[in-house]
Amino acid sequence: MYGYVRPEVPELKVKEYNRFKAAYCGLCHELGRTFGLRARFILNYDFVFLAMLLSEDKHLPNYEMRRCPYSINSKKCVCGHSQYIERAAGYSVILAYWKLEDTALDEGFGKRTIAKASMMLLKKAYKKASSMYGTFDATVRELLSQQQKLEQAGETSIDKMADKFASLLAAAAGNGDESKIRICRQILYHIGRIVYIADAFDDLKNDFSAGRYNPVAAHYGITDGIAGEEVTAAVGDTLRNSVNMIYAAYGLYEKNYWDSILQNIMFIGIPKMIEDVLRGRYDPTGKELKKQMK
């Protein structure tokens, strides 16, 4: 994904912050252990959220003390191996690989070259992830292909465009108890919808400068890369509607060990991200949070 799904750290209790760090580091170790050292470089907050959401742990998970490859002289408390962390790691590899292909198709020479090189470095990890999670890989490929066709046709419906990425993320809910999975799909669908539209809004100026298709510009008829007050308000309304759908679905979801952190992310972090994106002050790199994770 894109790194938009983050906690609002000042609102976390100390123990919640430490738990989030352990989950973040646990996903990093899982990427390295299962998919190789290069896979660690695709680590992002979105899939930490996914691992916590999918978890069925209601009590203390398996914590371990492990050395951090970026701070080899110290050990950190990390979440040990679990099927949920492994699945989140595998899904993140698959999505990162196909996102790189999308970049290689759409961007200019410089970024296209970097994307192709990154795909080569990630190819071994991708092959393993796709062999483990073939159904998700096939879904990602099909939905991204449909999305590319809509882009090439200059689709003006932002709902049609957002639906492809939202459906892709909803597929990460997997299979199992149908009632629980249905609720999980609803949560992930609307998070995917928010991420797609927020990212498009955030990229308006860059896409205009590069002459690229942008779903927000296509839908609202923006021809100069600048969203006026009316467009900003309309985008804000549709994003907040999806937030409300997440709230309603999570109210029915079976709570787990990570509940308080998940609530922080969904009820505080995502709404704050939306407001920051709309006001042009969002930092997509997440530098401050990354410093805190080290």
Side-chain angles (χ1 to χ4, degrees):
M1 288 187 280
Y2 299 80
Y4 284 92
V5 186
R6 313 173 189 171
E8 178 62 9
V9 172
E11 298 295 332
L12 289 172
K13 296 177 181 178
V14 173
K15 66 178 180 180
E16 293 169 341
Y17 174 63
N18 289 333
R19 288 173 182 175
F20 180 79
K21 285 182 66 176
Y24 179 87
C25 293
L27 181 59
C28 180
H29 279 281
E30 189 67 44
L31 283 164
R33 175 172 47 227
T34 307
F35 301 104
L37 178 63
R38 292 169 181 171
R40 289 180 185 265
F41 292 98
I42 65 169
L43 175 68
N44 71 55
Y45 307 113
D46 300 340
F47 283 91
V48 179
F49 168 82
L50 179 63
M52 292 190 294
L53 183 68
L54 297 179
S55 173
E56 294 183 357
D57 291 328
K58 291 186 171 59
H59 305 291
L60 197 69
N62 175 32
Y63 285 122
E64 302 173 355
M65 296 302 296
R66 299 180 66 102
R67 293 193 184 279
C68 173
Y70 304 105
S71 181
I72 200 65
N73 293 324
S74 62
K75 286 188 175 182
K76 294 186 177 182
C77 180
V78 309
C79 285
H81 172 80
S82 73
Q83 61 174 306
Y84 311 107
I85 290 181
E86 182 181 82
R87 195 186 339 164
Y91 286 2
S92 68
V93 170
I94 290 168
L95 191 52
Y97 185 83
W98 290 114
K99 187 175 183 297
L100 285 168
E101 185 187 66
D102 185 59
T103 300
L105 291 172
D106 293 343
E107 298 288 350
F109 177 77
K111 289 185 177 180
R112 183 167 66 245
T113 302
I114 293 172
K116 287 182 177 179
S118 298
M119 286 179 71
M120 291 297 295
L121 293 173
L122 198 59
K123 193 165 188 177
K124 184 177 179 180
Y126 163 71
K127 284 185 175 180
K128 185 171 183 179
S130 63
S131 69
M132 294 170 65
Y133 306 105
T135 301
F136 182 71
D137 179 53
T139 300
V140 169
R141 281 185 287 146
E142 174 60 25
L143 288 170
L144 288 181
S145 174
Q146 292 176 18
Q147 190 177 72
Q148 288 168 2
K149 289 176 182 177
L150 289 173
E151 287 182 8
Q152 290 165 3
E155 178 60 56
T156 59
S157 170
I158 197 169
D159 288 324
K160 281 187 180 180
M161 293 301 300
D163 175 72
K164 301 305 177 186
F165 186 80
S167 296
L168 181 159
L169 190 54
N175 300 300
D177 182 314
E178 185 54 36
S179 60
K180 179 179 179 180
I181 296 301
R182 185 169 60 251
I183 297 168
C184 189
R185 285 183 189 135
Q186 179 82 342
I187 294 168
L188 292 174
Y189 180 91
H190 283 282
I191 286 178
R193 186 175 185 276
I194 289 168
V195 167
Y196 182 81
I197 296 174
D199 185 63
F201 186 90
D202 204 34
D203 281 346
L204 270 171
K205 289 182 181 179
N206 289 337
D207 287 344
F208 171 74
S209 298
R212 288 190 297 261
Y213 169 86
N214 183 289
V216 173
H219 182 75
Y220 293 103
I222 299 172
T223 57
D224 56 3
I226 300 173
E229 290 183 9
E230 288 187 8
V231 171
T232 299
V235 171
D237 286 343
T238 193
L239 292 176
R240 294 183 196 102
N241 284 338
S242 277
V243 169
N244 290 335
M245 296 298 290
I246 293 169
Y247 291 172
Y250 191 68
L252 302 173
Y253 198 61
E254 185 177 349
K255 305 305 184 287
N256 63 26
Y257 173 81
W258 305 100
D259 173 54
S260 60
I261 303 174
L262 289 169
Q263 289 199 48
N264 173 285
I265 293 171
M266 291 185 287
F267 302 167
I268 304 175
I270 289 177
K272 183 177 185 301
M273 175 274 290
I274 289 171
E275 297 308 313
D276 287 347
V277 167
L278 294 175
R279 286 164 175 71
R281 63 189 186 203
Y282 184 73
D283 174 19
T285 65
K287 288 180 181 179
E288 290 304 313
L289 184 53
K290 285 180 181 178
K291 287 179 183 178
Q292 296 171 28
M293 292 296 107
K294 293 181 179 179

